[in-house]
Amino acid sequence: MRSVILLILLGIVAPVMAQVADDFSDGDFTSNPAWSGDTDRFTVEPFGADFALQSNGLAQADTIALATPSAGARGEWRFLFQWNFNLSTSNGARIYLVANNADLKGTLQGYFLQLGTNNDDEVRLYVQDGASSDRTLFGSGTEGLLAGDNGTVELRVLRDDLGQWQVHVDGVPDIT
């Protein structure tokens, strides 16, 4: 079984006040804040001295998703991403930062990070307008950052009031 561990250090943050923050220290993702979607496919697990959200998808082709509402479309998103398999476009992770629909498998408008790309092993930022295949590359980062069968990266994404995006990987600006 393949899994991804996602430690959300701080969710969407407006310049002054947090919109969504979940460190999963309560061992639960169904309340405070409430995450919805494929809740039976995720668990909260110890991760060092902290806790993390871990996917529990099937080893076969599987698409799983969780979402939590937020009023913010700008601010800062910070999280760790850990993987234990070779990431690719069809075997990676999409992390939606902003979406107008909680059903992340359906038609929506939003922005997401693609972690895992064929051959390039980079982080990519996409804008989606419609079905999941209706997406446009907004920016791509340094090749090789997600290489190998396992690893951990810290991601920090910023969006300002003008809609300008920045993606930092392990503290280094990667997409601007």
Side-chain angles (χ1 to χ4, degrees), residues 110-126:
Y111 291 87
F112 67 88
L113 293 177
Q114 174 75 41
L115 304 178
T117 56
N118 293 339
N119 303 321
D120 295 331
D121 295 318
E122 63 193 5
V123 176
R124 292 181 180 173
L125 177 64
Y126 284 93

Side-chain angles (χ1 to χ4, degrees), residues 42-117:
F42 290 89
T43 60
V44 174
E45 301 291 334
F47 186 75
D50 299 309
F51 292 88
L53 184 65
Q54 180 173 333
S55 68
N56 192 17
L58 303 174
Q60 63 204 32
D62 195 14
T63 299
I64 58 177
L66 284 180
T68 192
S70 170
R74 70 185 191 319
E76 179 179 17
W77 296 257
R78 288 190 294 160
F79 49 92
L80 291 175
F81 178 78
Q82 182 181 61
W83 68 96
N84 64 1
F85 55 92
N86 192 359
L87 296 168
S88 68
T89 303
S90 60
N91 192 24
R94 279 188 184 182
I95 300 173
Y96 282 86
L97 305 165
V98 177
N100 68 341
N101 187 347
D103 178 6
L104 301 176
K105 298 178 203 175
T107 299
L108 60 87
Q109 283 77 44
Y111 291 87
F112 67 88
L113 293 177
Q114 174 75 41
L115 304 178
T117 56

Side-chain angles (χ1 to χ4, degrees), residues 126-166:
Y126 284 93
V127 59
Q128 180 177 327
D129 187 16
S132 65
S133 60
D134 297 330
R135 63 182 187 264
T136 304
L137 182 62
F138 195 84
S140 60
T142 306
E143 289 185 20
L145 286 177
L146 304 174
D149 289 342
N150 59 61
T152 302
V153 292
E154 180 180 349
L155 294 153
R156 179 176 178 237
V157 182
L158 303 166
R159 186 175 191 211
D160 65 21
D161 291 337
L162 300 175
Q164 301 297 311
W165 291 90
Q166 291 182 7

